[in-house]
Amino acid sequence: MINQVYQLVSPRQFETTFKTINLHNHNNKIIVRPLYLSICAADLRYYCGNRDTKVLSKKLPMSLIHECVGEFVYDSDYQLKKGTKVVMIPNTPSESHKVIAENYLASSHFKSSGYDGFM
C-alpha cells in the first residue's frame, strides 16, 4: 500500500512524500485513515519556525499533528469493522513494561515531536 505523507521541510513549507506500507508485515496489524486533525501550539511552533534552528535542523523533515480522529481501513486479524471511528493515540511504543505505562517509557516515540505525526 502506498501512503501519501505531508512533511514540514522548513518553516511554512510542506512537501508531499510517499511511503510504502507492507500489509503483510506483522507490525502493521491495523491501518487507520486520519479524518480530522487538530493543530496545537507545538505544531504551530514548528510551522512558524519558532523553534531553535538547531532543533529544526535535527527534527525536520517531519509530519506534524499528534491530535487526530480517524477510521479503520484495514485490520489483518479481521476483528475490527471497516469504517469504525477512533481517537488515535500519538505514542508509538517499542517495548512494554509491567509497571511503567508506555507513555512514560524512554523508548516510546511521541508523534510530531521528532517522529512523524499523522499528516
Side-chain angles (χ1 to χ4, degrees), residues 5 8 11 13-14 27 29-31 35 38 51 78 80 84 86 91 104 109 114 118:
V5 178
L8 183 70
Q13 182 179 351
F14 286 98
N27 292 328
K29 291 186 178 187
I30 296 171
I31 305 289
L35 294 175
S38 180
R51 297 289 312 265
Y78 303 103
L80 303 169
T84 300
V86 295
N91 192 31
Y104 299 100
H109 303 262
F118 296 123

Side-chain angles (χ1 to χ4, degrees), residues 1-5 17-23 31 33:
M1 177 175 144
I2 298 173
N3 189 30
Q4 191 169 350
V5 178
T17 61
F18 298 91
K19 293 188 179 182
T20 302
I21 298 171
N22 181 352
L23 296 178
I31 305 289
R33 175 183 292 123

Side-chain angles (χ1 to χ4, degrees), residues 50-84:
N50 294 336
R51 297 289 312 265
D52 184 86
T53 53
K54 289 181 184 179
V55 171
L56 289 174
S57 66
K58 180 181 173 187
K59 294 189 176 193
L60 297 182
M62 178 176 63
S63 295
L64 298 178
I65 308 294
H66 60 263
E67 298 165 340
C68 182
V69 174
E71 68 180 351
F72 285 110
V73 293
Y74 176 80
D75 174 15
S76 63
D77 294 333
Y78 303 103
Q79 295 180 0
L80 303 169
K81 183 179 175 187
K82 186 175 178 178
T84 300

Side-chain angles (χ1 to χ4, degrees), residues 95-106:
E95 65 179 319
S96 60
H97 193 277
K98 289 188 236 179
V99 178
I100 303 171
E102 66 186 30
N103 197 43
Y104 299 100
L105 289 171

